[in-house]
Every structure is written in C-alpha cells, then in structure tokens.
C-alpha cells in the first residue's frame, strides 16, 4: 500500500512538472506579439504559411505589422479583421526604447509574476522593447546584456528626467480659425507656422499673455497668444475613422487594445502625441488611435447620408451558382466591401443581412422603408441558360429610381471594364415595393465559366464595390 501510494505520488508530481515545462516552453517560443517592418517593395500576404496558399492582400515597404506566431519561415500577422501569413525573410524587427519608471523592476524569464527573476533594473534604465504578451513586455537591457520580461506598467516612452523637468505641461486647443505661431512672445516676431481651429498643442510655459506651445502635428515649438487657446476641445475637433481602428490605451501599437471602432465612427480629439491622436468616445471612454487612420469630419463626402445595402439571397437561399461559387457569398462579400467604403466616407450603412442568414424579401423591403435611407442597393450576381456576360442595373420607378440606376451602372462599367448591358426596367419586389430610391445590380454571370473566375476574385469585388460607391457619390452629391 505504502509503495503504491509513493509511486502514484511521484507520477503525479512528474505529470505536473511536465505540464509546467511545456506551458513555459510554449510561452518562450511564440506566445508574444512583436512589431516588424516590411523590407521589400511589395509583400504578398497569404491565407496560410506557404506560397501555395491564396494571396489575400499585399503590403508595401516599411509598413509595420504585428507578428503573432512563426511557422517554418512564415510569420502570422494581424491583417484586416483577422490574420495573414508572410514570408519571414521580408520582415525586419522593429524595436523602440522604453524607460523604467519603477524604483526597482524585476526582469523575469517569462511573462508571469511567478517566473524566475533574472535581474533587477532601476528608475530611468533604458530598455529595448521587442514585443509584448498581454500587459508584459519582452525587453533587452543593453547595460546588462540580458533579455527578459517586465510588466508594461513600469515602462514609459519618455525618459523620466525629461517629464520631471516639465511637470506643468497641458494640452490646449486652438479656438481661432487660423492662429500664427511665432518665434518669440510678440506680434512682431517671425511667424513660424499657422495652425487651424481645434489643433491640439502642448502648452509648455507662459510669458504675459503669450503661451509657449509645442505642436505635435507639425513638430514645431513657438509662441501663440493665450486668448486663442482653450483647455477644452471644441466640437470642431472631431475626427472620423477611415478604417476599422483599434482604440488603444496609449500612443503606440505596443499599448493594449480597448476596443475596435468601426470605420465611419466619429470621435472627439482631445490630444496628440507624434502620429497618435488621443480621442474621447461618445460614452466618455478615452483612448488613442493611429493618426494615419483618421480623417476630419469635414472631409467626408457622404456625411449625413444613409445607404441600405441588400446582399441578395443568404442562408438556405443560395441564389445562382456556377462551377466555383454560390451567389449568396459573392453578394455578401461585395456588399461588405462597399459598406466599408461608404462608412469611410461618413455615410451611415444599414445592411439587410451582414452574415449568411435567410431574410425574406418583405423583411428586406421593410428595413429599407423604415430607414428613411437616401439610397437602397440590392447586390446580385447573374445567371442565364445561354452564353451571357456583363453587368446590368435594374430600376422600377422611372422618376424615383432610374437616375440612381444610371449613375451606378455607368460607374460600374468604368470601374470593372465588363460588358455594359445597360439599365433596365425590372418589377422585382425588392425594388417595386421600395419607397426609397432603389436599384438592383447584377455584377456578372456565374454561369459563364470565364466570367465566373473573374467575378469570384477579390479584385473584381473591390472594383465592383468602388464602382457602386462612385455611382452613389455622384448621385447623392
Ligand atoms: Zn440573385
């Protein structure tokens, strides 16, 4: 009895030990994310790790990507809403310098408070941040030649001494339409630059009624009259997201993601740090977005417009089918691309379906009629029994729908270069019972094998989406 019990205890301990080793081993391998930069002119992004997999996108030289895993010379990167794979040889590691802001900081062998302490570093120590795992950062400490893990809360972007010497800086906002930034606190001093209403500035000091400011967006320091600087951002400092964008806890991709905000979202700009913009959401939550992903609210050509997008068929109703593709899938994929373009331009987009579900024609019409939309677009791919090719757009009402249909058809042909079958009268229920300006597009024939291969491609769907978008902009302006 005693022997058995001892053996089982040993086995038990061995099993637990093995589990710990494997968990620790996995983490050390690839469980953290890090930033890398593209080092070739054009880099293919593929669906999986190998040149045999489909190309799902391309990256340009110097684009920065977040790497999540590695497999046999391939890197798994965050791409679009999901992941893609690129050949690792075309990526170069991107690092940044951080500074320890704790009195004593433990550097550990793994991203966990239970991991072994390799060394300790003091306030102000410069470290090279190589990657992160949750709230942990993987750092190289040049002064000790050690690589390890530290908690991200204790690493700052700026050296502690520089922040300590300017304790009273604050963010101000320009209230004048155009404000001169001068080389000295006087109206006779040289004008260095001009900044517009809502521009965020870092106020560094005061001299009488003048303020010394740093303008992050221009990387210029100068003097402005304090009457035109407010500590509150005005409504004019609204930014609009051009893409689905990560809202982060700090000004950089190494900071944690609070949420993913959809393209077209309007946010209040409350600050700026280099290329990053500090924003406040309507619910009061604040965070940071990359400056290159936002536009100003004024530059949105479809601001205030509402468009209903109706990807035809769905769920049990597949629609037409060819040898390779089922219509319902192409309809949805094209509609989502179009919707994203419209949102980027400031439009409100309502989908009758945004996933592979069945929605009846009456429900689709009801969504449109309740929406008070400026336009309704039903998206389809075509079929016929003979040999057919090209694109056509249907309208029901000559007075309500035909101008919209004409504008979309013209722009579709310009964008896709497919055969022009023209605009046609069609008594389809989805447009016949529709009270909003409505059109039904047929974006090519699935029953034509040559055309099917083309229209199944992402590039055709992008061109089709762009064509409809251009048609809508022309029609709605
Ligand atoms: Zn259809």
């Amino acid at each position: 009895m005693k022997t058995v019990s001892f053996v089982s205890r040993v086995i038990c301990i061995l099993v637990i030990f093995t589990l710990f080793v494997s968990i620790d081993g996995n983490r050390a391998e690839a469980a953290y994310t890090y930033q890398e930069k593209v080092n070739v002119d054009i880099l293919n992004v593929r669906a999986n790790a190998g040149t045999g997999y489909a190309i799902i996108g391309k990256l340009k030289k110097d684009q920065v990507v977040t790497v999540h895993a590695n497999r046999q010379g391939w890197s798994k990167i965050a791409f679009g809403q999901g992941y893609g794979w690129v050949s690792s040889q075309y990526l170069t590691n991107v690092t940044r310098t951080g500074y320890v802001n704790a009195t004593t900081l433990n550097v550990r062998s793994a991203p966990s408070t239970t991991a072994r302490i390799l060394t300790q570093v003091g306030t102000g120590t410069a470290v090279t941040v190589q990657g992160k795992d949750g709230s942990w950062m993987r750092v190289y400490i040049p002064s000790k030649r050690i690589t390890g893990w530290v908690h991200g809360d204790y690493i700052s972007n700026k050296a502690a001494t520089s922040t300590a010497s300017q304790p009273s800086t604050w963010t101000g906002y320009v209230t004048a339409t155009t404000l001169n930034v001068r080389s000295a606190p006087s109206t006779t001093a040289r004008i260095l630059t001009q900044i517009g209403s809502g521009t965020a500035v870092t106020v560094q000091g005061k001299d009488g009624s003048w303020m010394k400011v740093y303008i992050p967006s221009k990387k210029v320091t100068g003097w402005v009259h304090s009457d035109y600087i407010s500590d509150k951002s005005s409504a004019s400092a609204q930014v609009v997201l051009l893409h689905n964008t990560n809202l982060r806890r700090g000004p950089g991709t190494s900071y944690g993601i609070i949420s993913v905000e959809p393209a077209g979202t309007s946010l209040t700009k409350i600050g700026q740090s280099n290329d990053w913009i500090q924003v406040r959401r309507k619910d009061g939550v604040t965070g940071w977005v990359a400056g290159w992903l936002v536009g100003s609210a004024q530059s949105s050509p479809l601001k205030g417009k509402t468009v209903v997008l109706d990807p035809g068929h769905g769920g049990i109703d597949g629609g037409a089918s060819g040898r390779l593709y089922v219509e319902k899938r192409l309809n949805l994929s094209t509609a989502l691309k179009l919707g994203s373009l419209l949102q980027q331009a400031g439009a409100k987009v309502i989908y009758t379906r945004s996933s592979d579900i069945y929605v009846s024609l009456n429900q689709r019409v009801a969504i449109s009629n309740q929406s008070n939309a400026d336009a309704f677009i039903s998206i389809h791919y075509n079929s016929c029994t003979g040999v057919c090719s090209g694109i056509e757009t249907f309208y029901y009402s000559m007075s309500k729908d035909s101008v919209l249909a004409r504008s979309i058809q013209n722009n579709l042909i310009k964008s896709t270069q497919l055969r022009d079958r023209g605009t046609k009268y069609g008594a389809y229920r989805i447009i016949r019972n529709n009270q909003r300006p409505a059109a039904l597009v047929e974006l090519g024939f699935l029953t034509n094998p040559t055309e099917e291969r083309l229209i199944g491609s992402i590039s055709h769907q992008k061109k089709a989406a762009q064509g409809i978008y251009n048609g809508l902009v022309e029609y709605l302006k």
Side-chain angles (χ1 to χ4, degrees):
M1 278 299 277
K2 212 173 177 184
T3 317
V4 172
S5 165
F6 174 75
V7 168
S8 62
R9 246 183 253 169
V10 168
I11 288 171
C12 191
I13 287 165
L14 274 175
V15 166
I16 289 169
F17 185 68
T18 312
L19 277 175
F20 269 104
V21 166
S22 65
I23 289 165
D24 201 46
N26 278 341
R27 281 195 165 280
E29 282 299 312
Y32 69 97
T33 62
Y34 53 92
Q35 307 272 299
E36 296 215 287
K37 206 156 90 173
V38 176
N39 63 26
V40 284
D41 288 339
I42 301 284
L43 179 58
N44 289 330
V45 182
R46 294 184 184 270
N48 213 323
T51 50
Y53 292 99
I55 295 172
I56 58 170
K58 287 180 192 296
L59 298 172
K60 286 194 196 123
K61 191 166 187 164
D62 294 335
Q63 253 184 281
V64 174
V65 297
T66 302
V67 179
H68 287 257
N70 286 287
R71 191 197 299 161
Q72 289 161 354
W74 289 80
S75 297
K76 183 182 184 183
I77 62 164
F79 188 74
Q81 301 281 47
Y83 297 101
W85 290 82
V86 296
S87 178
S88 306
Q89 61 181 311
Y90 300 121
L91 295 177
T92 309
N93 196 233
V94 179
T95 57
R96 66 176 181 87
T97 302
Y99 299 90
V100 176
N101 61 30
T103 314
T104 309
L105 181 61
N106 292 327
V107 181
R108 294 180 184 270
S109 63
S112 157
T113 49
T114 57
R116 192 163 54 90
I117 296 173
L118 302 173
T119 186
Q120 292 189 317
V121 286
T123 310
T125 305
V127 300
T128 307
V129 180
Q130 298 179 329
K132 59 173 225 127
D133 181 0
S135 49
W136 288 81
M137 284 179 181
R138 186 180 151 101
V139 297
Y140 173 70
I141 302 137
S143 57
K144 302 201 173 210
R145 296 185 188 192
I146 286 177
T147 300
W149 291 87
V150 295
H151 201 280
D153 285 355
Y154 306 114
I155 299 295
S156 304
N157 280 331
K158 289 197 186 74
T161 47
S162 71
T163 43
S165 66
Q166 299 168 346
S168 60
T169 64
W170 50 279
T171 302
Y173 301 89
V174 176
T175 59
T177 313
T178 310
L179 182 60
N180 292 327
V181 181
R182 296 180 182 272
S183 61
S186 156
T187 50
T188 58
R190 193 163 54 88
I191 295 173
L192 302 174
T193 185
Q194 292 189 316
I195 48 181
S197 175
T199 306
V201 300
T202 307
V203 180
Q204 298 179 330
K206 239 187 142 187
D207 183 346
S209 53
W210 289 82
M211 280 179 179
K212 186 179 179 182
V213 297
Y214 172 68
I215 303 131
S217 56
K218 302 205 170 205
K219 299 194 166 115
V220 168
T221 301
W223 292 85
V224 295
H225 201 280
S226 60
D227 284 356
Y228 307 112
I229 298 293
S230 159
D231 61 353
K232 288 187 187 68
S233 68
S234 67
S236 67
Q238 289 284 313
V239 295
V240 174
L241 300 180
L242 301 176
H243 305 273
N244 295 343
T245 303
N246 293 327
L247 182 66
R248 292 185 182 270
R249 294 184 201 285
T253 50
S254 59
Y255 290 90
I257 295 169
I258 298 166
S259 61
V260 180
E261 298 296 321
T265 303
S266 178
L267 300 160
T268 305
K269 179 174 173 177
I270 54 172
Q272 184 151 1
S273 171
N274 295 322
D275 287 339
W276 287 77
I277 294 171
Q278 192 179 19
V279 293
R280 184 165 49 233
R281 222 160 57 181
K282 287 197 178 78
D283 63 1
V285 171
T286 62
W288 294 80
V289 293
W292 56 92
L293 299 177
V294 309
S296 75
Q298 287 75 20
S299 69
S300 310
L302 295 179
K303 189 169 185 278
K305 303 290 184 189
T306 301
V307 178
V308 176
L309 295 183
D310 175 46
H313 315 282
I316 52 163
D317 172 15
S321 55
R323 297 174 190 187
L324 304 168
Y325 304 104
V326 181
E327 188 197 341
K328 64 174 184 176
R329 290 187 199 284
L330 300 189
N331 295 343
L332 180 58
S333 134
T334 308
L336 293 174
K337 286 181 175 60
L338 172 58
S340 153
L341 289 175
L342 292 167
Q343 285 171 338
Q344 285 167 35
K348 179 181 170 191
V349 174
I350 298 169
Y351 293 97
T352 56
R353 69 176 178 100
S354 56
S355 61
D356 186 18
I357 55 165
Y358 177 80
V359 182
S360 74
L361 291 178
N362 286 341
Q363 283 175 290
R364 292 171 197 247
V365 170
I367 290 169
S368 179
N369 290 343
Q370 285 158 16
S371 70
N372 210 25
D374 297 284
F376 171 95
I377 312 290
S378 190
I379 294 167
H380 291 258
Y381 284 81
N382 224 335
S383 65
C384 78
T385 45
V387 181
C388 313
S389 65
I391 288 179
E392 56 198 9
T393 303
F394 291 91
Y395 60 89
Y396 175 72
S397 159
M398 183 57 86
S399 57
K400 176 171 72 70
D401 305 329
S402 68
V403 177
L404 171 65
R406 186 76 258 161
S407 173
I408 287 174
Q409 176 70 14
N410 288 346
N411 282 283
L412 270 171
I413 299 307
K414 259 188 238 167
S415 169
T416 63
Q417 305 280 310
L418 286 194
R419 190 173 151 231
D420 185 2
R421 299 170 65 89
T423 55
K424 296 173 177 174
Y425 166 81
Y428 299 111
R429 197 193 312 176
I430 195 94
I431 51 178
R432 189 184 67 221
N433 293 354
N434 211 309
Q435 291 154 17
R436 313 308 313 160
L440 185 152
V441 295
E442 293 280 3
L443 299 170
F445 282 82
L446 286 162
T447 44
N448 177 330
T450 314
E451 195 157 283
E452 184 191 12
R453 270 195 299 279
L454 176 76
I455 62 187
S457 69
I458 300 284
S459 74
H460 171 79
Q461 286 159 44
K462 275 189 184 162
K463 285 177 192 166
Q466 190 66 52
I468 300 169
Y469 169 84
N470 293 346
L472 278 167
V473 170
E474 191 180 296
Y475 170 78
L476 293 171
K477 81 178 176 212

